PDB file of all heavy atoms in Angstrom:
ATOM      1  N   ASP A   1      19.892   6.267  -6.951  1.00  0.00           N
ATOM      2  CA  ASP A   1      19.395   7.483  -6.709  1.00  0.00           C
ATOM      3  C   ASP A   1      18.603   8.102  -7.787  1.00  0.00           C
ATOM      4  O   ASP A   1      17.567   8.870  -7.711  1.00  0.00           O
ATOM      5  CB  ASP A   1      20.555   8.470  -6.312  1.00  0.00           C
ATOM      6  CG  ASP A   1      20.196   9.915  -5.976  1.00  0.00           C
ATOM      7  OD1 ASP A   1      19.403   9.980  -4.917  1.00  0.00           O
ATOM      8  OD2 ASP A   1      20.653  10.799  -6.620  1.00  0.00           O
ATOM      9  N   MET A   2      19.110   7.948  -9.070  1.00  0.00           N
ATOM     10  CA  MET A   2      18.337   8.441 -10.309  1.00  0.00           C
ATOM     11  C   MET A   2      17.033   7.772 -10.473  1.00  0.00           C
ATOM     12  O   MET A   2      16.095   8.448 -10.777  1.00  0.00           O
ATOM     13  CB  MET A   2      19.294   8.253 -11.547  1.00  0.00           C
ATOM     14  CG  MET A   2      18.643   8.842 -12.797  1.00  0.00           C
ATOM     15  SD  MET A   2      19.725   8.800 -14.242  1.00  0.00           S
ATOM     16  CE  MET A   2      19.788   6.977 -14.459  1.00  0.00           C
ATOM     17  N   ILE A   3      16.999   6.504 -10.339  1.00  0.00           N
ATOM     18  CA  ILE A   3      15.777   5.689 -10.505  1.00  0.00           C
ATOM     19  C   ILE A   3      14.747   6.208  -9.451  1.00  0.00           C
ATOM     20  O   ILE A   3      13.540   6.411  -9.738  1.00  0.00           O
ATOM     21  CB  ILE A   3      15.988   4.217 -10.373  1.00  0.00           C
ATOM     22  CG1 ILE A   3      17.052   3.779 -11.546  1.00  0.00           C
ATOM     23  CG2 ILE A   3      14.724   3.414 -10.631  1.00  0.00           C
ATOM     24  CD1 ILE A   3      16.495   4.138 -12.929  1.00  0.00           C
ATOM     25  N   GLU A   4      15.179   6.343  -8.258  1.00  0.00           N
ATOM     26  CA  GLU A   4      14.255   6.874  -7.186  1.00  0.00           C
ATOM     27  C   GLU A   4      13.686   8.219  -7.529  1.00  0.00           C
ATOM     28  O   GLU A   4      12.509   8.558  -7.232  1.00  0.00           O
ATOM     29  CB  GLU A   4      15.036   6.864  -5.788  1.00  0.00           C
ATOM     30  CG  GLU A   4      15.239   5.517  -5.245  1.00  0.00           C
ATOM     31  CD  GLU A   4      16.054   5.620  -3.987  1.00  0.00           C
ATOM     32  OE1 GLU A   4      16.065   6.747  -3.306  1.00  0.00           O
ATOM     33  OE2 GLU A   4      16.768   4.602  -3.588  1.00  0.00           O
ATOM     34  N   TYR A   5      14.490   9.106  -8.158  1.00  0.00           N
ATOM     35  CA  TYR A   5      14.071  10.317  -8.486  1.00  0.00           C
ATOM     36  C   TYR A   5      13.108  10.265  -9.686  1.00  0.00           C
ATOM     37  O   TYR A   5      12.142  11.018  -9.763  1.00  0.00           O
ATOM     38  CB  TYR A   5      15.223  11.126  -8.940  1.00  0.00           C
ATOM     39  CG  TYR A   5      14.968  12.491  -9.563  1.00  0.00           C
ATOM     40  CD1 TYR A   5      14.459  13.516  -8.800  1.00  0.00           C
ATOM     41  CD2 TYR A   5      15.077  12.676 -10.952  1.00  0.00           C
ATOM     42  CE1 TYR A   5      14.145  14.827  -9.454  1.00  0.00           C
ATOM     43  CE2 TYR A   5      14.772  13.913 -11.545  1.00  0.00           C
ATOM     44  CZ  TYR A   5      14.342  14.975 -10.816  1.00  0.00           C
ATOM     45  OH  TYR A   5      13.919  16.104 -11.461  1.00  0.00           O
ATOM     46  N   LEU A   6      13.422   9.374 -10.612  1.00  0.00           N
ATOM     47  CA  LEU A   6      12.636   9.363 -11.854  1.00  0.00           C
ATOM     48  C   LEU A   6      11.154   8.689 -11.655  1.00  0.00           C
ATOM     49  O   LEU A   6      10.229   9.147 -12.318  1.00  0.00           O
ATOM     50  CB  LEU A   6      13.344   8.542 -12.984  1.00  0.00           C
ATOM     51  CG  LEU A   6      14.513   9.268 -13.568  1.00  0.00           C
ATOM     52  CD1 LEU A   6      15.278   8.254 -14.582  1.00  0.00           C
ATOM     53  CD2 LEU A   6      14.192  10.546 -14.314  1.00  0.00           C
ATOM     54  N   LEU A   7      11.093   7.707 -10.815  1.00  0.00           N
ATOM     55  CA  LEU A   7       9.877   6.970 -10.693  1.00  0.00           C
ATOM     56  C   LEU A   7       8.646   7.877 -10.471  1.00  0.00           C
ATOM     57  O   LEU A   7       7.546   7.719 -11.165  1.00  0.00           O
ATOM     58  CB  LEU A   7       9.971   5.841  -9.687  1.00  0.00           C
ATOM     59  CG  LEU A   7      10.829   4.664 -10.120  1.00  0.00           C
ATOM     60  CD1 LEU A   7      10.848   3.546  -8.974  1.00  0.00           C
ATOM     61  CD2 LEU A   7      10.284   3.873 -11.357  1.00  0.00           C
ATOM     62  N   PRO A   8       8.757   8.710  -9.425  1.00  0.00           N
ATOM     63  CA  PRO A   8       7.585   9.491  -9.199  1.00  0.00           C
ATOM     64  C   PRO A   8       7.146  10.451 -10.384  1.00  0.00           C
ATOM     65  O   PRO A   8       5.948  10.776 -10.566  1.00  0.00           O
ATOM     66  CB  PRO A   8       7.921  10.408  -8.047  1.00  0.00           C
ATOM     67  CG  PRO A   8       8.990   9.606  -7.338  1.00  0.00           C
ATOM     68  CD  PRO A   8       9.675   8.969  -8.472  1.00  0.00           C
ATOM     69  N   LEU A   9       8.240  10.772 -11.190  1.00  0.00           N
ATOM     70  CA  LEU A   9       7.851  11.705 -12.308  1.00  0.00           C
ATOM     71  C   LEU A   9       7.308  10.864 -13.476  1.00  0.00           C
ATOM     72  O   LEU A   9       6.330  11.423 -14.190  1.00  0.00           O
ATOM     73  CB  LEU A   9       9.263  12.307 -12.833  1.00  0.00           C
ATOM     74  CG  LEU A   9       9.964  13.186 -11.799  1.00  0.00           C
ATOM     75  CD1 LEU A   9      11.269  13.679 -12.464  1.00  0.00           C
ATOM     76  CD2 LEU A   9       9.098  14.375 -11.383  1.00  0.00           C
ATOM     77  N   TYR A  10       7.630   9.569 -13.634  1.00  0.00           N
ATOM     78  CA  TYR A  10       7.024   8.748 -14.602  1.00  0.00           C
ATOM     79  C   TYR A  10       5.627   8.505 -14.261  1.00  0.00           C
ATOM     80  O   TYR A  10       4.730   8.466 -15.086  1.00  0.00           O
ATOM     81  CB  TYR A  10       7.795   7.450 -14.668  1.00  0.00           C
ATOM     82  CG  TYR A  10       9.039   7.628 -15.531  1.00  0.00           C
ATOM     83  CD1 TYR A  10      10.235   7.032 -15.124  1.00  0.00           C
ATOM     84  CD2 TYR A  10       9.067   8.001 -16.950  1.00  0.00           C
ATOM     85  CE1 TYR A  10      11.368   7.116 -15.843  1.00  0.00           C
ATOM     86  CE2 TYR A  10      10.258   8.130 -17.563  1.00  0.00           C
ATOM     87  CZ  TYR A  10      11.429   7.660 -17.141  1.00  0.00           C
ATOM     88  OH  TYR A  10      12.519   7.759 -17.909  1.00  0.00           O
ATOM     89  N   ILE A  11       5.405   8.303 -13.004  1.00  0.00           N
ATOM     90  CA  ILE A  11       4.033   8.077 -12.442  1.00  0.00           C
ATOM     91  C   ILE A  11       3.112   9.262 -12.712  1.00  0.00           C
ATOM     92  O   ILE A  11       1.970   9.114 -13.199  1.00  0.00           O
ATOM     93  CB  ILE A  11       3.975   7.685 -10.986  1.00  0.00           C
ATOM     94  CG1 ILE A  11       4.684   6.235 -10.758  1.00  0.00           C
ATOM     95  CG2 ILE A  11       2.554   7.690 -10.455  1.00  0.00           C
ATOM     96  CD1 ILE A  11       4.868   5.919  -9.331  1.00  0.00           C
ATOM     97  N   GLU A  12       3.712  10.480 -12.369  1.00  0.00           N
ATOM     98  CA  GLU A  12       2.942  11.709 -12.707  1.00  0.00           C
ATOM     99  C   GLU A  12       2.523  11.850 -14.113  1.00  0.00           C
ATOM    100  O   GLU A  12       1.442  12.485 -14.477  1.00  0.00           O
ATOM    101  CB  GLU A  12       3.704  12.858 -12.215  1.00  0.00           C
ATOM    102  CG  GLU A  12       3.040  14.158 -12.264  1.00  0.00           C
ATOM    103  CD  GLU A  12       3.857  15.315 -11.760  1.00  0.00           C
ATOM    104  OE1 GLU A  12       4.845  15.084 -10.980  1.00  0.00           O
ATOM    105  OE2 GLU A  12       3.610  16.459 -11.999  1.00  0.00           O
ATOM    106  N   GLU A  13       3.410  11.447 -15.022  1.00  0.00           N
ATOM    107  CA  GLU A  13       3.110  11.494 -16.522  1.00  0.00           C
ATOM    108  C   GLU A  13       2.237  10.378 -16.951  1.00  0.00           C
ATOM    109  O   GLU A  13       1.885  10.448 -18.215  1.00  0.00           O
ATOM    110  CB  GLU A  13       4.430  11.526 -17.245  1.00  0.00           C
ATOM    111  CG  GLU A  13       5.100  12.962 -17.175  1.00  0.00           C
ATOM    112  CD  GLU A  13       4.168  14.056 -17.734  1.00  0.00           C
ATOM    113  OE1 GLU A  13       3.653  13.810 -18.862  1.00  0.00           O
ATOM    114  OE2 GLU A  13       3.900  14.965 -17.093  1.00  0.00           O
ATOM    115  N   GLY A  14       1.771   9.549 -16.111  1.00  0.00           N
ATOM    116  CA  GLY A  14       0.823   8.469 -16.522  1.00  0.00           C
ATOM    117  C   GLY A  14       1.456   7.184 -17.018  1.00  0.00           C
ATOM    118  O   GLY A  14       0.828   6.444 -17.702  1.00  0.00           O
ATOM    119  N   LYS A  15       2.727   6.983 -16.760  1.00  0.00           N
ATOM    120  CA  LYS A  15       3.404   5.782 -17.201  1.00  0.00           C
ATOM    121  C   LYS A  15       3.046   4.630 -16.341  1.00  0.00           C
ATOM    122  O   LYS A  15       3.169   4.636 -15.140  1.00  0.00           O
ATOM    123  CB  LYS A  15       4.865   6.032 -17.285  1.00  0.00           C
ATOM    124  CG  LYS A  15       5.702   4.986 -18.148  1.00  0.00           C
ATOM    125  CD  LYS A  15       7.138   5.422 -18.350  1.00  0.00           C
ATOM    126  CE  LYS A  15       7.855   4.451 -19.145  1.00  0.00           C
ATOM    127  NZ  LYS A  15       7.326   4.260 -20.588  1.00  0.00           N
ATOM    128  N   TYR A  16       2.606   3.542 -16.954  1.00  0.00           N
ATOM    129  CA  TYR A  16       2.219   2.341 -16.278  1.00  0.00           C
ATOM    130  C   TYR A  16       3.444   1.403 -15.964  1.00  0.00           C
ATOM    131  O   TYR A  16       3.455   0.708 -14.890  1.00  0.00           O
ATOM    132  CB  TYR A  16       1.220   1.453 -17.087  1.00  0.00           C
ATOM    133  CG  TYR A  16      -0.188   2.121 -17.123  1.00  0.00           C
ATOM    134  CD1 TYR A  16      -0.626   2.716 -18.302  1.00  0.00           C
ATOM    135  CD2 TYR A  16      -1.112   2.087 -16.053  1.00  0.00           C
ATOM    136  CE1 TYR A  16      -1.903   3.272 -18.534  1.00  0.00           C
ATOM    137  CE2 TYR A  16      -2.304   2.655 -16.100  1.00  0.00           C
ATOM    138  CZ  TYR A  16      -2.708   3.194 -17.374  1.00  0.00           C
ATOM    139  OH  TYR A  16      -3.982   3.754 -17.435  1.00  0.00           O
ATOM    140  N   SER A  17       4.338   1.412 -16.787  1.00  0.00           N
ATOM    141  CA  SER A  17       5.410   0.448 -16.601  1.00  0.00           C
ATOM    142  C   SER A  17       6.754   1.040 -17.149  1.00  0.00           C
ATOM    143  O   SER A  17       6.724   1.855 -17.952  1.00  0.00           O
ATOM    144  CB  SER A  17       5.153  -0.946 -17.503  1.00  0.00           C
ATOM    145  OG  SER A  17       5.127  -0.635 -18.782  1.00  0.00           O
ATOM    146  N   LEU A  18       7.894   0.515 -16.577  1.00  0.00           N
ATOM    147  CA  LEU A  18       9.227   1.144 -16.855  1.00  0.00           C
ATOM    148  C   LEU A  18      10.070  -0.114 -17.004  1.00  0.00           C
ATOM    149  O   LEU A  18      10.235  -0.943 -16.165  1.00  0.00           O
ATOM    150  CB  LEU A  18       9.630   1.991 -15.748  1.00  0.00           C
ATOM    151  CG  LEU A  18      11.018   2.602 -16.062  1.00  0.00           C
ATOM    152  CD1 LEU A  18      10.902   3.739 -17.197  1.00  0.00           C
ATOM    153  CD2 LEU A  18      11.672   3.283 -14.790  1.00  0.00           C
ATOM    154  N   THR A  19      10.726  -0.200 -18.127  1.00  0.00           N
ATOM    155  CA  THR A  19      11.752  -1.288 -18.413  1.00  0.00           C
ATOM    156  C   THR A  19      13.087  -0.681 -18.330  1.00  0.00           C
ATOM    157  O   THR A  19      13.492   0.159 -19.249  1.00  0.00           O
ATOM    158  CB  THR A  19      11.477  -1.938 -19.796  1.00  0.00           C
ATOM    159  OG1 THR A  19      10.131  -2.538 -19.754  1.00  0.00           O
ATOM    160  CG2 THR A  19      12.548  -3.006 -20.046  1.00  0.00           C
ATOM    161  N   ILE A  20      13.859  -1.227 -17.290  1.00  0.00           N
ATOM    162  CA  ILE A  20      15.293  -0.692 -17.115  1.00  0.00           C
ATOM    163  C   ILE A  20      16.263  -1.800 -17.733  1.00  0.00           C
ATOM    164  O   ILE A  20      16.152  -2.946 -17.063  1.00  0.00           O
ATOM    165  CB  ILE A  20      15.622  -0.353 -15.714  1.00  0.00           C
ATOM    166  CG1 ILE A  20      14.564   0.646 -15.218  1.00  0.00           C
ATOM    167  CG2 ILE A  20      17.011   0.144 -15.574  1.00  0.00           C
ATOM    168  CD1 ILE A  20      14.671   0.967 -13.686  1.00  0.00           C
ATOM    169  N   ALA A  21      17.005  -1.602 -18.701  1.00  0.00           N
ATOM    170  CA  ALA A  21      17.871  -2.676 -19.250  1.00  0.00           C
ATOM    171  C   ALA A  21      19.316  -2.394 -18.723  1.00  0.00           C
ATOM    172  O   ALA A  21      19.877  -1.261 -18.880  1.00  0.00           O
ATOM    173  CB  ALA A  21      17.800  -2.719 -20.774  1.00  0.00           C
ATOM    174  N   ILE A  22      19.897  -3.378 -18.167  1.00  0.00           N
ATOM    175  CA  ILE A  22      21.376  -3.418 -17.861  1.00  0.00           C
ATOM    176  C   ILE A  22      22.122  -4.299 -18.731  1.00  0.00           C
ATOM    177  O   ILE A  22      21.905  -5.450 -18.769  1.00  0.00           O
ATOM    178  CB  ILE A  22      21.576  -3.758 -16.361  1.00  0.00           C
ATOM    179  CG1 ILE A  22      20.488  -2.968 -15.498  1.00  0.00           C
ATOM    180  CG2 ILE A  22      22.942  -3.496 -15.979  1.00  0.00           C
ATOM    181  CD1 ILE A  22      20.725  -1.557 -15.335  1.00  0.00           C
ATOM    182  N   GLY A  23      23.203  -3.761 -19.420  1.00  0.00           N
ATOM    183  CA  GLY A  23      23.947  -4.596 -20.421  1.00  0.00           C
ATOM    184  C   GLY A  23      25.312  -4.682 -20.108  1.00  0.00           C
ATOM    185  O   GLY A  23      25.988  -3.672 -19.727  1.00  0.00           O
ATOM    186  N   CYS A  24      25.849  -5.895 -20.328  1.00  0.00           N
ATOM    187  CA  CYS A  24      27.332  -6.120 -20.350  1.00  0.00           C
ATOM    188  C   CYS A  24      27.573  -6.853 -21.719  1.00  0.00           C
ATOM    189  O   CYS A  24      26.725  -6.935 -22.561  1.00  0.00           O
ATOM    190  CB  CYS A  24      27.821  -6.896 -19.199  1.00  0.00           C
ATOM    191  SG  CYS A  24      27.233  -8.487 -19.069  1.00  0.00           S
ATOM    192  N   THR A  25      28.764  -7.400 -21.807  1.00  0.00           N
ATOM    193  CA  THR A  25      29.119  -8.056 -23.139  1.00  0.00           C
ATOM    194  C   THR A  25      28.324  -9.156 -23.448  1.00  0.00           C
ATOM    195  O   THR A  25      27.666  -9.341 -24.526  1.00  0.00           O
ATOM    196  CB  THR A  25      30.555  -8.436 -23.051  1.00  0.00           C
ATOM    197  OG1 THR A  25      31.487  -7.243 -22.859  1.00  0.00           O
ATOM    198  CG2 THR A  25      30.974  -8.953 -24.500  1.00  0.00           C
TER     199      THR A  25
END
């Protein structure tokens, strides 16, 4: 839900790429 909300905002600000890192041990 958060990523879906953020993507249009990043696009509006001119961001070409987004790296989402998911970490465990």
Side-chain angles (χ1 to χ4, degrees):
D1 184 58
M2 182 176 66
I3 299 303
E4 288 175 21
Y5 170 75
L6 289 174
L7 286 180
L9 300 179
Y10 281 129
I11 291 173
E12 185 178 342
E13 279 303 305
K15 197 168 181 61
Y16 288 105
S17 63
L18 180 72
T19 298
I20 304 171
I22 311 292
C24 63
T25 303

